[in-house]
Structure formats: C-alpha cells, structure tokens
Amino acid sequence: MEKIALLTSKRILLGVTGSVACYKVVDLASKMTQAGAQVDVIMTEAAQQFVTPLAFRSVTGRPVYTSMWDLDDHVRHVGLGETADLFFIAPATAHTIGKLAYGLADNLLTVTALAARCPILIAPAMDGGMYEHVATQTNVNTLKARGVLFAGPGEGRMASGLSGWGRLVEPAELLAHARQVLARGGSLHGRKVVVTTGPTREPLDPVRFISNRSTGKQGVAVAQAALDAGASVTLIHGPIAEPVPMGVTALPVQTTQEMADATLTAVKDADALFMVAAVADFRPGTQSDRKIKKTDEAWGLAIGLEVTLDILSAVKEQREKTGTPRVALGFAAETHDAFEYGRQKLLRKGLNFIAVNDVMESGVGFEHDTNRVLLLSSAGVVEEIPLQSKTAVAERLVHHVAKTLNGR
Ligand code: CTP
C-alpha cells in the first residue's frame, strides 16, 4: 500500500472492544500503519477474547495497551489521549458506546476517551438488533450531540445469521472515515471543489460509441487529494473502472453535453475546478436509435463527425459573469510542442493553471499509474512535477490551487 501524505506522521489511537469484527480491525491497523501513521492500540479484555495483542503488535510494530494497572507508565491514559490526532474506536460494542455516553471510566479505553482532546471516531459493531435498540440509539445520539463522529454501522448479514444494522464497515471504508476526520483543518478546509475525470462517450448507435483511452486515475487522485486537504468534493466522471473515493459526491455522466451540464451547474458555488477529464472532441453528426447493420456500408462512410462543446470555454464565459469558480485548472494532453500548446490552451480557456502532459513519454498520461506534468500559469512555469505516482502529482496540483485560493 502506498503512503498517504495525510497519514504520515499522524498518531492514531485505535481502541478495540469485544466483537468478532476485531479481525477486520487488525487489517485496518495494518493499512493505517502502511499508509504512514503511528498506530497505538488499546484493547479491552473482551477484545482479547477474539484476537490477541500480538496480532496488533505484529502489524503496527508498536506496543499494545491492555491495562490501566501497569506500573511502568505514569498516567498512561492522559499521555495516550493527549498526543493522538485521532482516537478511533473500532469495533465499538453497545456496552462501550453506553459507557462512553455516560462518561464511565472503568478500563484503559474508556478512561482514555474521557481524557482525550482529539476527535473521537466510533465504528459500531453489534448483532441481533442491539444497534437499533432505543438504549443504544439514545447513547449514539448523546455522543453525536457531543461531537463524537461515527463510521457506520453498515447493514447486512451478521455473525448470528440475522440481517440488519450493526455490521462493522469494511477496513477500506474505515480508513476513508479516518482520513475525512484527519483532513479537517487542511488547506482546502471549507472549500468546495469540482473535479472532472475519465473519458466521455459519444454514441453512434445503442451499442457503439466514440471515446478515448482515459481511465480516470489522475482525476480520482485529484479528488482524493482535495478530500485529504479538507475540501468537499464533487466528482463528475465519465465511465471509469477506478473506484470513486469515499466521501465525494459522485455525478456519473456519459456524453460531453452531460459533463458540460453537470460541470456548469456544479461550479456555480465552487471555489475551484480541476478539469481533468479527457473530453471527447468529436461526436457523430447523427445517431441511430437502432443498431446499425454491417450491411449498411453507406452509413459507415457517411458518419459526419461534429465538434463537441468545449466545456472549459463555456465555464470561462459563465465565470466572467458569476466569478465562480475562483480558480480553474485544466489539463493538456499533447504529443508534441507540449509547452507551446499548453500555454495557448491556458490563455484560450481562461485558466489559472494548466497541467501539461506529454503523453508520448513512457509512464505518462493515459492508463499509467504515474504522470509527469509541467504546471503553467499565465506567469510561466509554476512547477515541473517529475515523473511520480498520480497520487503525488495530484497533491502538488491541490497544493498550488489551495495556495492561490488562500492568497499565499
Ligand atoms: N476540454 C473541455 N472540453 C472539451 C475538450 C477538452 O473542457 N470539449 C478540457 C479538458 O478537460 C482539458 C483541457 O480542455 O482540461 C484541454 O484538453 P485537451 O484535450 O488537451 O485539448 P483540446 O481543447 O481538446 O484541444 P486539442 O484537441 O486541439 O489538443
């Protein structure tokens, strides 16, 4: 797993209580550690019935705390709670949730929760309708009103074989929740960001279309980087295989016109637009609503392509009237004379920034996990971003846009 800039050097206190879902949290602890966080685990006695401290210690490389009564550590609960960036309690049983709601402090986990000054995130896990019970619901609402955050629970099949609310959400989703909490106060905190990504598809008939090789990886990485910087993100995407980051508002589209409509609406109250999509430049002049038969050779010769709407030019026009988005960043996929074409596009489309790719270079652009980008503004070269993961490139782009928005 790749390091996550947001998690690097963060201290996460993971409180584990007694549920069969403990085994999933070993995976979460492993994911957070691999992403660069320092993960300290507190286990209750009941949790140790399901997995051993050794399992957590093996994946975190850190001591696991199980007792209030070890004499080698003076006021441990205060120390643990004070230095953490996040106290993540997962899985959280109905019993622990109840104790937290009432401020009870009978073990290291609950005592640390009372002493903690960092955000507390709770991922409930319980079976047999316990989550829906009015007692649990009251406790959950008490904690929410106090600013405690919740991840899940999910709905589905539980260990007993019953179905309902109470499933611990999957480790990847738990990680996404932790990221959202840690992102608060980032450089895009309180900002609304629109990202477009992927190809668009222009149908010829119900089974054929014109499209391009875009996979959406770079735009998805930008959306995640903006989320990690604390923004609320709308991701307008064409057909992509890439999973959409948890926490974005996803608007799936097919055609250029659909992407244009969604983008022009979304940017009305946005601070920034990252136009990463590889928009289809042409569409068939006529579309058939029935599948064209192979014998219809004349049709093949007669497809008259027409140019699609240039979305960024339409955004420019709208922006001149409304002033939103305040910052617009476009991409330029070039095969030659990248700098000059990029510069011209920046001016023509009225952009603050353009990220120029030379897609003929190896490891750059479509279908790759890496990218090399020349970032230009009207003042010239802003940064030559070297060949690296699309995630790392996205973080640089977000950094520059945030800097412009924040006037620094
Ligand atoms: N773009 C757009 N609407 C289009 C085509 C492209 O908004 N119909 C955006 C892209 O999302 C990108 C930027 O414009 O941010 C440049 O896209 P690119 O394909 O490099 O350039 P084009 O404008 O299509 O010009 P050309 O095909 O001549 O290179």
Side-chain angles (χ1 to χ4, degrees), residues 275 277 279 281 308-312 330-333 345 348-349:
M275 188 77 201
V279 183
D281 286 325
T308 56
L309 174 74
D310 191 287
I311 301 175
L312 277 178
F331 264 72
K345 279 180 197 172
R348 197 167 65 237
K349 300 183 188 230

Side-chain angles (χ1 to χ4, degrees), residues 358-374:
D358 185 336
V359 291
M360 298 303 270
E361 272 180 49
S362 77
V364 173
F366 296 137
E367 293 163 317
H368 295 290
D369 288 327
T370 50
N371 211 353
R372 190 171 90 95
V373 158
L374 177 66

Side-chain angles (χ1 to χ4, degrees), residues 13 42 77 81 87 89 100 104 107-118 120:
L13 194 54
I42 300 177
H77 58 290
F87 190 8
I89 304 175
L100 295 173
L104 304 181
N107 61 22
L108 185 62
L109 190 152
T110 47
V111 98
T112 305
L114 275 186
R117 294 292 162 260
C118 60
I120 298 181

